[in-house]
Amino acid sequence: MGAVALDFLFVWVPIAAAVAVIVGAASASTTAGVIVGIVVGLASLAYWFLGRSMLMARGGEHNGQTWGKQILGIRVVRDRGEPLDVGWALLRQILVKWLLFWVFGSSFLIPWVLNYLWPLWDDSDRALHDMIVTTHVVRA
């Protein structure tokens, strides 16, 4: 959860700065404010979905790490030992964590909560999303 919080900060601190720019642009021109708002919104979505997956699919010693995971010294690895590639990273981040647990799971709250609490009683400390995509988080 700490790595997710750090990754969140890497997205939202720049967005907060961009919002200040948007407010300034909007006060000067409504059109400029809308354009800046659209660009910032699309950039933040691109990072949150694609950027995090691309970071996790990097080769070498940082494979399986976002910036938050890198700071905390953890990484995601596949159960069979293969490096995390773009396909697995996208599957894990977008389809399972976001679509399954955030979009559908948060509608019922219980699946979303269970996903993040599951490591507390699981012998291998894995969340449900890790079990689905056959990955686990280890010390880097």
Side-chain angles (χ1 to χ4, degrees):
M1 286 302 294
V4 171
L6 287 170
D7 288 335
F8 188 77
L9 287 175
F10 286 122
V11 173
W12 291 107
V13 168
I15 288 175
V19 166
V21 171
I22 293 169
V23 169
S27 66
S29 165
T30 305
T31 304
V34 169
I35 291 170
V36 171
I38 290 170
V39 169
V40 168
L42 290 175
S44 65
L45 286 174
Y47 169 74
W48 194 252
F49 292 117
L50 299 175
R52 293 180 72 214
S53 296
M54 298 305 288
L55 281 171
M56 290 185 63
R58 292 180 286 177
E61 67 179 286
H62 295 300
N63 182 263
Q65 293 180 309
T66 61
W67 291 321
K69 285 177 179 59
Q70 195 171 329
I71 289 169
L72 294 180
I74 57 177
R75 74 171 358 99
V76 175
V77 296
R78 294 184 56 196
D79 288 351
R80 294 185 187 178
E82 301 102 340
L84 203 64
D85 60 16
V86 174
W88 279 102
L90 288 170
L91 174 71
R92 184 178 187 271
Q93 292 297 119
I94 296 175
L95 291 179
V96 176
K97 287 179 76 176
W98 183 74
L99 188 62
L100 182 61
F101 286 106
W102 276 100
V103 174
F104 297 123
S106 63
S107 299
F108 302 103
L109 190 62
I110 292 172
W112 181 83
V113 170
L114 277 177
N115 179 47
Y116 285 100
L117 293 179
W118 201 268
L120 295 175
W121 56 79
D122 184 68
D123 291 337
S124 60
D125 298 325
R126 295 170 73 186
L128 294 174
H129 63 265
D130 286 315
M131 291 178 190
I132 291 170
V133 295
T134 64
T135 59
H136 55 278
V137 178
V138 298
R139 291 264 169 228

